[in-house]
Amino acid sequence: MKQAYAPGCALILYKPELAKRMHYFLNKESDGIAEHLICCRNNPRLSPGTKIINTCAGCDRRYRELYEGISTISLWEIVAESNTFPFPDYRGMTMSVHDACPTRTEERVHRAIRKLLTKMNIKVIEPRNTQTQATCCGDSFYGTLPLVQVKEKMKKRADEMPVEDVVVYCVSCIKAMHIGGKKPHYIVDLLWGEDTTNGTYEPDAWHQELQRFIDVHS
């Protein structure tokens, strides 16, 4: 089966060097994995039978649901099974996990994220609404609700987190948790021992950045 790596618009906008580092790791594990940069909202023009390795929960859902003959697997599932990845040790640091809406039904992703955290010696304190019952971070309501209500939903979800430090695996969730008053830790940053930065976090500005990427990568 042909495989392709889709880092996704959000990771490329956030830290393109980490997108490249992940691609390099994948090709150490299995040669010949090409990078796929067409946005998942546009026709991917992929051969039937291609499996997409994704880092974005939205990409995971769109490739699963929209494009016939294309399958998907999250990068987290691959890294979680790796015996060669240089996992850092966070010495029992306590964090909660916010699960992204597009993978709410995908228990394979939930398990992989938690396996990665165990491998990094991070203790997980789950919120009440988690995994298949997770509440949206609020960002998915952007464009359908007034901005003030979107931010209220971000604050409400952040308040559900039992500890200050929150693991996320969606770049938009970084912004939502920050706006909600928590300290987000993006899983890619955790894997490579880097701090998570909020970057452009105001919803209007962030979604404009995303749209520019979508328009260019078609």
Side-chain angles (χ1 to χ4, degrees), residues 104 110 128-135 157:
R104 184 175 292 135
H110 308 155
R128 183 183 62 200
N129 300 313
T130 190
Q131 299 182 54
T132 60
Q133 303 299 316
T135 308
R157 176 55 171 164

Side-chain angles (χ1 to χ4, degrees), residues 81-99:
E81 299 303 320
S82 174
N83 294 317
T84 62
F85 193 87
F87 293 102
D89 184 353
Y90 287 93
R91 303 176 183 273
M93 187 174 179
T94 299
M95 299 186 188
S96 289
V97 180
H98 166 69
D99 292 294

Side-chain angles (χ1 to χ4, degrees), residues 103-135:
T103 52
R104 184 175 292 135
T105 61
E106 303 306 300
E107 295 181 68
R108 60 187 170 85
V109 177
H110 308 155
R111 287 192 298 268
I113 291 292
R114 286 153 180 84
K115 187 170 183 177
L116 290 175
L117 298 178
T118 297
K119 288 192 169 191
M120 291 187 284
N121 196 9
I122 293 171
K123 181 181 178 182
V124 175
I125 306 296
E126 298 280 4
R128 183 183 62 200
N129 300 313
T130 190
Q131 299 182 54
T132 60
Q133 303 299 316
T135 308

Side-chain angles (χ1 to χ4, degrees), residues 11-27:
L11 177 54
I12 292 176
L13 289 171
Y14 174 65
K15 287 186 179 180
E17 69 280 6
L18 289 190
K20 291 185 180 300
R21 198 179 298 178
M22 280 301 193
H23 190 203
Y24 178 74
F25 161 76
L26 285 172
N27 275 305

Side-chain angles (χ1 to χ4, degrees), residues 132-152:
T132 60
Q133 303 299 316
T135 308
C136 178
C137 75
D139 187 75
S140 292
F141 292 95
Y142 179 81
T144 62
L145 291 178
L147 187 56
V148 64
Q149 292 182 30
V150 171
K151 289 187 173 183
E152 286 171 359

Side-chain angles (χ1 to χ4, degrees), residues 153-167:
K153 287 186 176 292
M154 291 177 174
K155 180 69 165 60
K156 183 177 179 180
R157 176 55 171 164
D159 286 346
E160 292 181 10
M161 297 295 138
V163 297
E164 183 73 12
D165 296 281
V166 180
V167 178

